[in-house]
Amino acid sequence: MNFLNEPFLKVKDYSVSGEEFGLLIDENLQLLKTYPQPELSELSKYYESEAYISHTDSKRSLFEITYHFIKQKALRNKIKLVERWNGGKGTLLDIGTGTGDFLAEAKRNHWKSVGIEPNENARTKAKLKGICLVESLTELEDNYFDVVTMWHVLEHVPDLENQIKELKRVVKPNGVIFIAVPNFKSYDANYYGKYWAAYDVPRHLWHFSKTAMEKLFAKQNLKLKKVLPLWFDSFYVSLLSEKYKSGKMNLFKAFWIGLQSNLKGRKNLEYSSHIYIFKNS
């Protein structure tokens, strides 16, 4: 990777620390890197917030209630998508399991599944749902899983290239890998700029484009087969971005920007977030 020294953009951590970080760009990969990246020993403190919704099951507000309602439909859709590409059920690894809802849905659908989740609080909640968890990828056998999933997790991983090597190692030949990440080339990213909530520095260490995803995974002979939009993400991200920009959640403005992002995405195929589907070859 070859990142320019001058920041592509300067972004603030709006949800926890209030600190400012730079985003450096690798122009060949069209990949952004958060700089400076916190030391591994320091990363956990940036997740210490009740507002970090992927680590909580709480439904204290209309926003959280709506989030979890839509999340349930999204979980069912993800299982259908995985089964369609796998040609049925099988062995599944979910990295960044959070509170375990995706694997709980997989278990209900008779998948043999395992999860990895570094956050202790989220891990405890996942275990209460009967989820099987391991500490790290190093515990897992080579070429064991039919499917590996990372739903909005790759952007959090410190050692990006080694992570992709490990995905290659644990998935079966002809196995399928599903990766969901935000897209900094989207309309809502361009509209909100430094206020775009999906930058989420420094928890998001990397910021991807379609070019970056295809090139990074091609290095491990993982072939990109399909890119799909995550329609809801533009509305969710726009709502948070409005809060960061104006200090309040402007529901109607956020809905309009989210809608615009999806409509423009239908033309230029640059949505707020994408699901990338890779085949091991």
Side-chain angles (χ1 to χ4, degrees):
M1 297 182 192
N2 185 23
F3 292 96
L4 300 181
N5 291 326
E6 284 298 312
F8 170 84
L9 192 65
K10 290 184 178 180
V11 184
K12 187 177 176 181
D13 174 11
Y14 290 96
S15 61
V16 178
S17 70
E19 297 171 20
E20 187 176 75
F21 296 83
L23 303 180
L24 307 183
I25 189 167
D26 181 317
E27 292 187 325
N28 176 53
L29 287 175
Q30 287 298 293
L31 174 71
L32 301 180
K33 173 185 179 180
T34 297
Y35 182 82
Q37 293 192 348
E39 296 292 328
L40 286 176
S41 59
E42 296 291 309
L43 260 178
S44 62
K45 75 179 185 182
Y46 292 100
Y47 290 85
E48 292 172 2
S49 169
E50 278 297 309
Y52 199 67
I53 199 164
S54 70
H55 288 168
T56 179
D57 287 336
S58 65
K59 298 172 183 174
R60 300 160 299 185
S61 65
L62 180 60
F63 178 69
E64 289 181 349
I65 291 168
T66 304
Y67 172 85
H68 287 291
F69 175 78
I70 295 172
K71 180 181 175 182
Q72 287 306 310
K73 186 178 187 305
L75 291 173
R76 293 190 292 271
N77 289 341
K78 284 175 181 176
I79 293 296
K80 289 177 183 176
L81 177 67
V82 166
E83 290 184 353
R84 185 162 68 248
W85 278 86
N86 187 55
K89 305 177 196 308
T91 50
L92 167 66
L93 170 65
D94 183 46
I95 301 171
T97 297
T99 59
D101 290 330
F102 173 68
L103 286 188
E105 187 69 22
K107 186 178 179 181
R108 281 192 289 272
N109 283 270
H110 310 293
W111 281 79
K112 183 179 179 183
S113 58
V114 177
I116 297 174
E117 174 50 53
N119 181 270
E120 185 176 352
N121 182 49
R123 196 164 58 240
T124 299
K125 290 173 180 168
K127 287 179 180 177
L128 291 173
K129 296 170 186 174
I131 303 304
C132 176
L133 297 174
V134 296
E135 291 292 324
S136 71
L137 277 166
T138 57
E139 298 179 38
L140 302 172
E141 298 176 29
D142 294 358
N143 309 126
Y144 181 79
F145 293 96
D146 295 300
V147 173
V148 180
T149 58
M150 296 182 76
W151 306 114
H152 284 295
V153 172
L154 190 66
E155 59 267 39
H156 297 264
V157 173
D159 192 340
L160 180 59
E161 291 183 301
N162 185 64
Q163 179 74 40
I164 297 171
K165 286 180 184 177
E166 283 291 278
L167 297 180
K168 169 77 173 179
R169 180 183 69 80
V170 299
V171 75
K172 289 180 180 178
N174 296 314
V176 192
I177 299 172
F178 296 81
I179 309 286
V181 288
N183 172 32
F184 77 89
K185 300 275 190 175
S186 66
Y187 172 80
D188 51 298
N190 182 63
Y191 178 85
Y192 285 110
K194 65 182 182 179
Y195 299 107
W196 191 49
Y199 283 130
D200 199 24
V201 294
R203 289 158 295 281
H204 290 190
L205 303 172
W206 312 95
H207 314 273
F208 299 96
S209 66
K210 288 190 289 188
T211 299
M213 291 296 289
E214 185 165 18
K215 287 186 174 182
L216 286 166
F217 280 76
K219 291 180 183 180
Q220 298 300 323
N221 292 317
L222 294 166
K223 185 173 179 58
L224 180 62
K225 303 298 287 186
K226 191 78 173 176
V227 182
L228 299 171
L230 280 163
W231 302 94
F232 173 67
D233 282 32
S234 64
F235 300 106
Y236 169 70
V237 169
S238 294
L239 197 59
L240 287 178
S241 301
E242 282 294 325
K243 182 181 178 182
Y244 297 161
K245 187 176 182 179
S246 66
K248 59 184 179 180
M249 287 185 175
N250 188 332
L251 181 62
F252 296 106
K253 180 69 174 294
F255 179 83
W256 174 246
I257 298 302
L259 180 62
Q260 287 283 99
S261 189
N262 283 333
L263 290 173
K264 291 180 184 297
R266 292 185 68 175
K267 294 181 179 179
N268 62 14
L269 303 180
E270 298 284 3
Y271 291 90
S272 185
S273 292
H274 295 131
I275 297 174
Y276 296 85
I277 303 174
F278 297 94
K279 272 269 191 179
N280 191 12
S281 57

